[in-house]
Amino acid sequence: MNPARIEDEFPAPEYRGAQRDALGRIREAFAAGNRVVLVRAPTGSGKSLLARAIAGCARRPDEADPADATDAYYTTPQVSQLDDVAADPLLSDLQVIRGKRNYSCLLPGETNTPVDRAPCARQTGFDCSIRHRCPYFSDRTIASNRSIAAMTLAYFMQTAGSDAFGRRDVVVVDEAHGLAEWAEMYATIDLRPRTVSVWDELEVPEIDGVEAAARFADHVTTICSRRKDTLVGADELSISEVEERDRLQELISNLNWFVSDYRDPTSASTWVVDGGDGEPVTIKPLNPERYLRHTVWDRGNRFALLSATILDKEGFCRGVGLDPDETALVDVSHTFPVENRPLFDTTQGKMTYDHREETLPKIARLVVRLMAHHPDEKGIVHAHSYAIAEGLEKRLREFGVEGRIRSHDREDRDAQLNAWLASDDPELLISVKMEEALDLEGDLARWQVLCKAPYPNTRDSRVARRLEDGQWNWYYRTTLSTVIQACGRVVRAPDDHGGTYLADSSLLDLFERSRSAMPDWFAAQVDRMTTPELPAFDPSAAGGDGDSGSRRDRRRKSRDDPENHPLADVWGSD
């Protein structure tokens, strides 16, 4: 790596905000010998441009010996972030590669078939006459030979050990604050009828610990391998059989990984197990250092991890298996005026489960008042869960303001978001899990509501285990990180402005408990928080009554569809 090139590699014609200073400090951190540099940069500060400049410092082939790693990877957990990179003309030299299911076969009669279900995946020994033109393999070949290959974190992890995407000199991870949690999610094994096609052949014993889970995993692997071998040995498979084969291969690999990691006395991973005794079984890792070492840390010489919310260097390093002594933290100052990104205390009570039925109707009335306060401006509600979203929408419909409301379920999430973004009407989007990687610059949204403090679910065995171990600082930092991410959605440029209304009084408690972890620029927002003067509750002033019958009914019901996993479009990497 040559950090001295970083300013020359910056892709924009001019610097914005603190970008020039940030590049200088990143250069110094790498030049000092750090293997990893954490870049804590506020939302809207142009992290993707910083990422491109860092990637451009990677060793080039003409500077290397044959055995040296060269070039760079850019990766991000967020599919939408990768989409933004692909669409940005300043980042055109980042060659994007996606999973097979994102590409369609070119063969006659197969043009609506994803590549991972094409004849080459269904027929043994199939010789594709146009493989050189296959959009997936073409993009993969180009990306593997370009100086900067860009991909989702899921695809990056899945290609660990592949010939096409080996070790490179520099790896840049954007939106890296949730790296440990994403790795835990990828490594989680869910055993149930939907995920195990041979479930009926299994007898699920009582599982009283991780050792019992490992023995059961060995048994499941044996049964699944027999079925997988049958499918692999067939001359031709149907699309459903191809899907079953691929799921079995992935499941077997994950089970083998779990057993290997659990039985490795040097592994730092802790595993927790739910279920058993005839019921579905879920096997989850905590602090999957070994998993990250194989899928991420062994993939590069130097690393830059960028995020607005890496709140604690030591804690972050512990969670992902990094050595703090080889890691530097570069703080990028916020250059957006604090008065343009105000927080408002409009809390209505606690939104914990025990208090929700009492508080949610009050929040619904608050939202109506905010709609009247912003009659001509689009807004977004961060509802935290589909249950809260549905409860809120139901009450808003009862108030007659559904004409300004748009919502989504798991199936039409992207479609409804895109329709809302494209609309010129002052619609309010009731959203779930849109606190990150959503750019609402300008009139795309001028106000937002945080419905609930987004604490991790204590019924999740991983969360419960951490709290049993006294990791309350992790609990509050994780929640604060999500809140800071959410607050950055509606202010994306120095001359942009947008207000964030806090509806859950637990958010105020969170700010007190996590004050020491706050970046200075966010602490300044909290210190300036005020209680606004709002109109009285009047649905007609919020766009209710007569408007509701003339506009399209946008009610959406939540459905639990396993095929709509938030990462569903990046699985499948070969």
Side-chain angles (χ1 to χ4, degrees):
M1 183 185 193
N2 182 3
R5 284 203 299 261
I6 196 166
E7 285 89 356
D8 292 338
E9 291 292 330
F10 187 71
E14 57 187 23
Y15 296 109
R16 188 181 75 185
Q19 288 173 335
R20 185 168 194 166
D21 176 65
L23 290 177
R25 296 171 64 195
I26 294 167
R27 169 173 41 78
E28 292 172 1
F30 277 120
N34 290 290
R35 184 179 183 228
V36 181
V37 175
L38 311 179
V39 181
R40 185 163 61 187
T43 51
S45 57
K47 289 190 294 296
S48 296
L49 300 179
L50 300 179
R52 167 59 187 82
I54 297 168
C57 297
R59 182 164 45 199
R60 297 167 180 169
D62 60 358
E63 300 170 336
D65 294 330
D68 291 337
T70 61
D71 299 330
Y73 289 116
Y74 169 90
T75 182
T76 172
Q78 302 287 354
V79 176
S80 59
Q81 184 78 11
L82 191 68
D83 292 340
D84 291 343
V85 167
D88 191 337
L90 294 176
L91 304 174
S92 59
D93 57 347
L94 272 68
Q95 181 61 41
V96 173
I97 174 66
R98 306 176 190 272
K100 282 184 179 181
R101 69 187 308 167
N102 295 275
Y103 299 86
S104 296
C105 181
L106 298 180
L107 291 170
E110 301 284 353
T111 52
N112 292 323
T113 304
V115 170
D116 64 337
R117 303 293 179 255
C120 59
R122 303 196 308 261
Q123 299 177 26
T124 300
F126 181 82
D127 184 14
C128 182
S129 61
I130 59 171
R131 181 182 170 111
H132 62 287
R133 292 198 288 118
C134 173
Y136 169 72
F137 287 104
S138 175
D139 271 9
R140 191 181 74 160
T141 299
I142 294 171
S144 66
N145 287 287
R146 284 285 179 86
S147 59
I148 307 175
M151 59 196 70
T152 63
L153 184 64
Y155 187 93
F156 180 69
M157 288 179 165
Q158 285 195 327
T159 54
S162 74
D163 293 334
F165 297 108
R167 187 183 184 97
R168 292 199 173 192
D169 188 41
V170 173
V171 177
V172 180
V173 184
D174 208 349
E175 303 295 343
H177 51 277
L179 189 58
E181 287 75 17
W182 285 88
E184 288 176 5
M185 184 180 70
Y186 297 152
T188 292
I189 303 170
D190 192 26
L191 304 175
R192 62 184 64 243
R194 172 173 55 79
T195 61
V196 184
S197 61
V198 294
W199 183 261
D200 291 341
E201 300 180 37
L202 300 173
E203 292 185 8
V204 184
E206 180 180 354
I207 297 178
D208 57 2
V210 183
E211 176 60 36
R215 292 195 300 270
F216 180 58
D218 284 334
H219 175 62
V220 175
T221 298
T222 299
I223 302 298
C224 288
S225 294
R226 286 204 296 261
R227 173 60 178 164
K228 184 263 295 181
D229 291 344
T230 298
L231 294 170
V232 170
D235 290 336
E236 186 168 357
L237 301 176
S238 65
I239 288 180
S240 63
E241 288 173 330
V242 169
E243 293 171 348
E244 180 186 4
R245 179 200 64 196
D246 292 350
R247 285 198 301 268
L248 286 171
Q249 288 175 329
E250 181 179 348
L251 177 60
I252 292 166
S253 175
N254 290 341
L255 289 168
N256 286 335
W257 173 264
F258 155 60
V259 173
S260 171
D261 184 79
Y262 165 67
R263 291 180 175 157
D264 179 357
T266 66
S267 174
S269 300
T270 298
W271 294 87
V272 294
V273 184
D274 296 327
D277 198 13
E279 297 298 320
V281 176
T282 305
I283 304 168
K284 308 173 185 178
L286 293 176
N287 300 330
E289 294 181 12
R290 184 169 171 237
Y291 182 82
L292 282 169
R293 184 168 68 249
H294 167 66
T295 59
V296 179
W297 308 132
D298 288 347
R299 307 284 298 280
N301 295 333
R302 300 284 193 100
F303 293 83
L305 311 182
L306 296 85
S307 172
T309 52
I310 296 177
L311 302 181
D312 174 58
K313 173 190 165 182
E314 302 291 329
F316 179 83
C317 289
R318 283 195 303 270
V320 299
L322 291 174
D323 182 352
D325 292 336
E326 296 181 349
T327 304
L329 174 63
V330 171
D331 253 322
V332 179
S333 61
H334 208 319
T335 59
F336 299 178
V338 67
E339 58 270 20
N340 288 5
R341 41 188 172 94
L343 298 179
F344 296 110
D345 179 358
T346 53
T347 53
Q348 303 297 303
K350 291 185 176 181
M351 278 292 285
T352 54
Y353 185 80
D354 291 341
H355 296 87
R356 191 171 302 166
E357 287 302 313
E358 175 187 354
T359 305
L360 190 57
K362 298 178 183 178
I363 292 179
R365 294 176 68 88
L366 168 67
V367 169
V368 171
R369 296 173 68 195
L370 290 170
M371 292 169 71
H373 191 56
H374 297 274
D376 301 316
E377 294 177 326
K378 295 166 68 172
I380 182 171
V381 173
H382 298 286
H384 182 66
S385 72
Y386 283 101
I388 293 174
E390 290 174 1
L392 179 62
E393 183 179 5
K394 176 178 179 292
R395 288 166 174 83
L396 293 174
R397 288 173 61 84
E398 291 171 353
F399 294 146
V401 297
E402 69 266 33
R404 276 186 70 183
I405 299 298
R406 184 182 292 273
S407 62
H408 66 86
D409 59 23
R410 291 176 176 86
E411 290 184 342
D412 66 358
R413 172 189 174 95
D414 290 345
Q416 291 298 327
L417 172 61
N418 290 334
W420 175 71
L421 291 172
S423 174
D424 292 328
D425 294 331
E427 294 180 347
L428 177 68
L429 177 67
I430 301 177
S431 72
V432 178
K433 301 301 180 187
M434 292 189 185
E435 296 94 344
E436 299 185 28
L438 182 61
D439 186 341
L440 301 178
E441 185 173 359
D443 291 333
L444 290 177
R446 289 298 183 190
W447 59 285
Q448 60 182 348
V449 181
L450 271 58
C451 229
K452 184 184 183 302
Y455 285 108
N457 186 354
T458 55
R459 289 174 291 179
D460 185 305
S461 54
R462 287 172 296 191
V463 176
R465 176 63 179 269
R466 283 191 168 102
L467 297 185
E468 287 173 8
D469 292 341
Q471 297 184 36
W472 288 96
N473 286 338
W474 166 86
Y475 187 65
Y476 294 121
R477 283 198 310 269
T478 299
T479 309
L480 179 64
S481 174
T482 303
V483 170
I484 294 175
Q485 289 286 338
C487 289
R489 295 310 99 205
V490 297
V491 183
R492 310 295 299 180
D495 57 351
D496 198 4
H497 63 90
T500 299
Y501 298 91
L502 311 181
D504 180 5
S505 60
S506 296
L507 288 162
L508 305 182
D509 179 66
L510 169 69
F511 291 162
E512 289 187 17
R513 292 178 180 273
S514 59
R515 178 74 189 206
S516 62
M518 286 183 188
D520 291 343
W521 54 265
F522 187 73
Q525 286 179 255
V526 174
D527 290 343
R528 289 176 55 91
M529 183 166 52
T530 59
T531 300
E533 293 289 335
L534 297 178
F537 176 76
D538 181 1
S540 63
D545 294 337
D547 286 345
S548 61
S550 62
R551 295 195 184 196
R552 182 170 61 83
D553 182 357
R554 300 186 177 92
R555 185 183 183 200
R556 292 291 180 269
K557 293 182 178 179
S558 170
R559 291 181 291 274
D560 187 10
D561 182 356
E563 296 302 318
N564 279 280
H565 189 285
L567 299 171
D569 65 339
V570 296
W571 301 122
S573 57
D574 291 337

